Amino acid sequence: MCGIVGYIGNQKASNIIIKGLKRLEYRGYDSAGLSTMENNQIFTSKCKGKITDLESLPSIEEHINSFGIGHTRWATHGEPNIDNAHPHNDSDNIFSLIHNGIIENHYSIKEYLFSKGIKFKSDTDTEVLVQFISYIYKKEKLDFYNTVKAVLKEVKGTYGIVVMCKNEPEKLVAAKNGSPLLIGIGKDENFLASDASAILDETRNIFYLDDGEIAEITKNTYKVTHIEHNQEIIKDIKEIEFSLDQIEKGNFKHFMLKEIYEQPKAIEDAIRGRIDLDNNVKLGGIADYVDRILESENIFITACGTSWHAAQIGSYLLEDILKKPVKVEYASEFRYRNKSINEKSLLIAISQSGETADTLAAVSKAKEKNALTLGIVNVVGSTIARETDCGIYMHAGPEIGVASTKAFTTQVVILILFANLLAQRNKIEKSKLYLKDLKDTPYLIKDILKLSDQIFEISKEYSDASNFLYLGRGYQFPVALEGALKLKEISYIHAEGYPAAEMKHGPIALIDKMMPVVVIVTKNGFDKILSNIQEVKSRGGKIITITTVDSKALKDLSDHYIFLSNSVNVLNAITPILTSVPLQLLAYHIAVLKGCNIDQPRNLAKSVTVE
């Protein structure tokens, strides 16, 4: 979640760091800070608030050296304030450290350090870590690198850290366990970051640290070993695939709106090269594992948040094709429950970032049980991509907005491709009908985006609402859940998604003239959901209908009727890709009207890399 940037080279470090932190602010925006070496001393500036607040500090002008570290924080331990902001320095100002993750045993370490007379300024686990490094450095008389290594052997939890030491200037030490960290290679300069977007316009050559690895970096060299041994690890340097304009807003007011409008291209990219001229699906990342996938006796899909909703849609498809149960589990629950997962199981892990902590833990649990693991991720080289046995990249391009949009629709696209590949292996001919409609979705979404002005006008009536209810049947139930989540995330309006028929089993008690009800209607179960709408209408609820059905009865019952006219004949399994787009626009416009921070909603960060 937090954003990390480090630089060592010949340029002014503060310029590189602040520019990189601005690119990472979607990962955390509670506080920010940086440290550089000035006049043989570590000099630190930090503040509560955003990167612009850091940039406006008078002390920033005093950071002139070419070596430093910076951080933008999403608070886990300690409230957002200047004392808890990173970097954290030890009491003697020998070390400065930035950290993403949670040190689980920090309480016991802190008590030990207290007993040695060490005082603390903050409430963070990160300060405990840097004070511990300083204590061991002085006690054991080790050098910088081996001190950090010794301390990490005593630490339990997750971390991506970068440390600087005033006694060994022109050197950074970095380590990773459970939180993403990469090293960028330049000419007479090197970079560190928690996300490649931070350093994209400085270098395209990067490699990721794996769990347990520790690196020593100068401006001309780097060396990677493991905290358990000293043998050098040779890393494969990869080239960043996305372009600078993909991580800029361009002419759009918000990243979220840009990413909503990028969905046609994102879906085209997700499909490109994966359907041949005979409408056969080809997925190179799982080609060697298809037989084992088909032989799996039970299938689990695990994910969090928006990815969980895509997983639910995928489960419907896979059950229909494979005729075997597919269980969707929240990763945070899966990892702690006793599951009947074994060597005959398949675990599909879905994560936009490929770094989601709970999903990673679920993958680890499945691997311990010798299950086959398959990752569906967006970020090339991410931890889930590296840890799973096989996988499929989404190719959606960078998603900066905290509220996921194009990641959701491309996840559904990938699951449809995956399901249809298995269907073709099982000689199920109807799969090719799915693919025809799937290939049309980019054009259909372009038509749906033309409804934005209509949806904006509807949004004006409901920007002051306190609650929303979203209803859908079959494939549209996960869409209802996703629509409700989008509204909650960015407008702070309480919203719930339900299967339409479940409304009578409790939620109908909430319905009155103040309750907007969004209903997603397709041909599947049309008569039943029409009845559900009549039940809402009879109790005074306001009906906002999003539909692929041209129906006068439905239009007459609706207070607002959003008709996806060109999607009428699309197969039911494909419609979630289409019906989710108006819900994204509805949430966006309501949040704008409420004056909310669209791309950086309160209390949220883009990638949840801690528990």
Side-chain angles (χ1 to χ4, degrees), residues 265-327:
K265 183 179 186 305
I267 291 170
E268 286 176 352
D269 290 344
I271 294 172
R272 183 176 291 112
R274 289 171 164 171
I275 304 174
D276 67 18
L277 295 176
D278 295 320
N279 267 351
N280 295 309
V281 177
K282 298 185 181 300
L283 298 171
I286 64 168
D288 295 335
Y289 294 86
V290 174
D291 289 340
R292 187 174 169 189
I293 290 167
L294 288 168
E295 292 166 3
S296 300
E297 292 182 356
N298 45 43
I299 298 173
F300 298 92
I301 312 180
T302 191
C304 301
T306 285
S307 298
W308 190 92
H309 301 150
Q312 197 69 50
I313 294 167
S315 74
Y316 297 170
L317 274 165
L318 290 170
E319 285 190 332
D320 181 43
I321 284 169
L322 299 179
K323 309 303 181 188
K324 64 177 69 173
V326 179
K327 186 72 181 293

Side-chain angles (χ1 to χ4, degrees), residues 371-384:
L372 179 65
T373 56
L374 186 157
I376 296 175
V377 302
N378 193 34
V379 179
V380 175
S382 58
T383 306
I384 290 175

Side-chain angles (χ1 to χ4, degrees), residues 55-95:
E55 197 174 18
S56 63
L57 292 177
S59 62
I60 287 298
E61 297 302 321
E62 299 177 51
H63 292 272
I64 60 174
N65 212 326
S66 57
F67 159 50
I69 58 177
H71 188 273
T72 179
R73 180 174 185 246
W74 187 83
T76 54
H77 288 64
E79 66 180 70
N81 60 33
I82 192 167
D83 288 333
N84 292 329
H86 297 216
H88 284 282
N89 301 347
D90 68 300
S91 300
D92 295 324
N93 209 38
I94 298 172
F95 296 94

